[in-house]
């Protein structure tokens, strides 16, 4: 099953994808995480990608698309994947369709997370991740704080803020890019009949974990 998580930064895509992955065994393929790991490891791909990511811009398709195409061929992806952060443009969506078609697969479900903009910005600013690149657990200092401030519950490593979350210019740039380049994907997948929109907001007391629980129910019914 191919699931895509759609939604602006800070809507909880990673949280929902992480729960779905844990419960279904399908890997969470986060292009942002793959880039950050490469940046950390100072690989050639990481050095190149960082030029764009640090400014809040999209990494070009000639780097991003082959990276995803390769990831889809890994053994753990044979029963499906949860794509988190890809596709981000209509061009990427079309390229993904072509890649999946060659593999005899298709996009089965696109989960579109929607959150009010004020909440999004607040969540990006309060988001923290584990600095241990093999753990990378996610926290939020307001909504999901660790037991000990600044320390990962799972592995005890220090928590850090993503560089692009601490720079207001990069945050705004990413939200602008989302509106301009990624939001047209809502219509693209709606037309294909695979879109499911989910509101995630404190104001309706519905967070990522609630959405994930309902989605798991649906996925189990499909299988
Ligand atoms: P994320 O963790 O999904 O917010 O991604 C962090 C950054 O990685 C983004 O702001 C982009 O610079 C880059 N990135 C992640 N996914 C993609 C993608 N599908 N296409 C281009 N750039 C991406």
């Amino acid at each position: 099953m191919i699931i895509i998580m759609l939604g602006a930064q800070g809507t909880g895509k990673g949280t929902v994808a992480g729960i779905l992955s844990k419960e279904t065994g399908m890997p969470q393929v986060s292009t942002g995480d793959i880039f950050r790991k490469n940046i950390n490891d100072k690989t050639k791909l990481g050095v190149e990608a960082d030029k764009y990511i640090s400014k809040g811009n999209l990494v070009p398709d000639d780097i991003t698309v082959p990276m995803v195409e390769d990831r889809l061929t890994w053994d753990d992806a044979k029963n499906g994947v949860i794509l988190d952060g890809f596709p981000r443009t209509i061009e990427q969506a079309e390229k993904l369709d072509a890649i999946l078609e060659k593999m005899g697969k298709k996009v089965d479900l696109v989960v579109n997370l929607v959150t009010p903009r004020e909440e999004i910005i607040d969540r990006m600013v309060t988001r923290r991740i584990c600095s241990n690149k093999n753990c990378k657990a996610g926290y939020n200092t307001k909504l999901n704080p660790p037991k000990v401030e600044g320390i990962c519950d799972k592995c005890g490593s220090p928590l850090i803020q993503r560089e692009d979350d601490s720079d207001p210019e990069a945050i705004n740039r990413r939200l602008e890019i989302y509106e301009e380049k990624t939001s047209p994907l809502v219509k693209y997948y709606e037309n294909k009949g695979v879109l499911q929109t989910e509101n995630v907001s404190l104001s309706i007391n519905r967070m990522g974990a609630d959405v994930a629980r309902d989605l798991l129910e649906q996925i189990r019914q499909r299988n």
Side-chain angles (χ1 to χ4, degrees):
M1 188 173 191
I2 306 289
I3 301 178
I4 292 174
M5 299 303 310
L6 208 60
Q9 292 76 8
T11 51
K13 294 191 297 288
T15 305
V16 176
I19 299 172
L20 295 186
S21 171
K22 186 163 165 261
E23 296 295 324
T24 63
M26 292 191 286
Q28 170 185 5
V29 174
S30 157
T31 38
D33 282 350
I34 302 174
F35 286 136
R36 279 185 288 279
K37 184 168 188 316
N38 277 277
I39 292 170
N40 232 300
D41 295 348
K42 300 193 170 54
T43 66
K44 201 170 151 231
L45 185 140
V47 170
E48 194 52 32
D50 195 35
K51 292 180 194 162
Y52 302 90
I53 294 180
S54 59
K55 296 193 174 69
N57 289 322
L58 292 182
V59 179
D61 280 4
D62 59 348
I63 300 177
T64 309
V65 176
M67 183 178 91
V68 174
E69 182 167 18
D70 172 69
R71 183 63 186 85
L72 291 174
T73 64
W74 291 20
D75 206 41
D76 66 350
K78 63 178 184 298
N79 293 328
V81 290
I82 301 154
L83 287 170
D84 166 14
F86 184 93
R88 258 181 156 90
T89 62
I90 296 280
E91 295 75 43
Q92 288 185 358
E94 287 169 350
K95 287 173 185 164
L96 176 65
D97 283 344
I99 292 167
L100 290 175
E101 199 181 327
K102 273 194 280 172
M103 300 172 83
K105 296 182 178 179
K106 62 172 178 43
V107 173
D108 297 289
L109 175 66
V110 178
V111 182
N112 174 35
L113 300 182
V114 179
T115 299
R117 192 174 168 115
E118 327 75 76
E119 268 185 62
I120 285 184
I121 294 182
D122 197 44
R123 273 192 226 179
M124 286 164 84
V125 173
T126 50
R127 177 155 73 173
R128 298 290 179 274
I129 51 170
C130 177
S131 57
N132 171 356
K133 55 182 188 271
N134 296 317
C135 173
K136 66 178 179 53
Y139 297 87
N140 183 292
T141 56
K142 280 193 194 161
L143 300 172
N144 173 29
K147 292 195 182 79
V148 178
E149 196 185 323
I151 301 293
C152 178
D153 292 347
K154 294 192 183 138
C155 76
S157 302
L159 300 183
I160 51 169
Q161 189 171 30
R162 277 170 48 171
E163 204 185 317
D164 53 355
D165 278 349
S166 55
D167 174 2
E169 246 176 66
I171 289 185
N172 280 324
R173 178 87 194 110
R174 282 150 69 207
L175 291 174
E176 266 169 32
I177 291 181
Y178 182 79
E179 278 312 316
E180 184 193 323
K181 302 213 164 124
T182 310
S183 68
L185 289 179
V186 170
K187 226 3 350 66
Y188 182 86
Y189 286 119
E190 196 172 45
N191 290 340
K192 289 183 182 285
V194 289
L195 188 86
Q196 181 165 331
T197 293
E198 295 281 353
N199 290 300
V200 179
S201 170
L202 280 173
S203 65
I204 53 166
N205 199 19
R206 186 164 167 80
M207 304 307 284
D210 304 304
V211 172
R213 188 195 52 230
D214 293 351
L215 287 171
L216 278 171
E217 191 59 37
Q218 268 186 45
I219 293 169
R220 286 188 184 122
Q221 279 171 12
R222 284 187 191 213
N223 290 336

